Amino acid sequence: MISVYHNPRCKKSRAGLQYIIDKGLEHKIILYLKDEPFNEASLKEILLKLNLKPAELLRKQEDIYKKQIKGKNLNDQDLIGLMLKNPKLIQRPIIDNGTKAVIADPAEKAEEVL
């Protein structure tokens, strides 16, 4: 089953989810900002599936990035901690097929894991 880490208020996230729906794929929506937040283990697991370093998963346009991260020399664990405290920092949507994941921006990138 496909998992979609989703923020319904985000246009790109809605587009990624719609792409999965339009494909007719069985999926689970994970509202990681509200109902099912990441914990340290699940965030590290998704980073492995994405094959990304924590810095590559950050949304650099967020105010918290600009105020607390930009220009600082933070290690991976520090960045993971900041993403856990501020999940808005995590890029979206993340499409996870169970073994591999991708940030579906643009939505067609979902094809990489379908």
Side-chain angles (χ1 to χ4, degrees):
M1 174 175 314
I2 302 294
S3 295
V4 180
Y5 292 85
H6 179 57
N7 175 0
R9 297 186 70 180
C10 173
K11 181 179 179 180
K12 292 176 182 179
S13 192
R14 290 191 306 269
L17 176 59
Q18 191 62 50
Y19 190 84
I20 299 299
I21 291 169
D22 291 348
K23 290 276 188 182
L25 299 171
E26 187 175 336
H27 62 280
K28 175 184 178 186
I29 298 171
I30 300 171
L31 300 174
Y32 71 95
L33 291 176
K34 185 178 176 187
D35 298 333
E36 297 181 57
F38 284 102
N39 59 39
E40 185 172 348
S42 64
L43 184 55
K44 286 181 175 180
E45 180 180 346
I46 207 71
L47 283 163
L48 285 173
K49 290 179 182 180
L50 288 163
N51 194 29
L52 295 176
K53 295 197 176 294
E56 297 170 310
L57 187 58
L58 291 170
R59 291 175 43 84
K60 293 172 176 62
Q61 65 271 38
E62 294 292 332
D63 282 341
I64 192 152
Y65 175 85
K66 294 172 186 173
K67 293 176 182 175
Q68 294 187 26
I69 301 170
K70 186 177 180 180
K72 294 186 179 172
N73 188 17
L74 301 173
N75 65 35
D76 287 352
Q77 194 59 44
D78 292 336
L79 294 174
I80 288 170
L82 283 166
M83 284 188 274
L84 292 173
K85 290 178 189 169
N86 306 283
K88 285 176 67 174
L89 284 168
I90 300 169
Q91 288 194 51
R92 56 196 178 249
I94 298 171
I95 311 295
D96 178 2
N97 71 8
T99 56
K100 187 177 177 188
V102 68
I103 299 166
D105 179 20
E108 295 78 17
K109 282 196 58 117
E111 286 295 329
E112 294 177 18
V113 297
L114 300 181

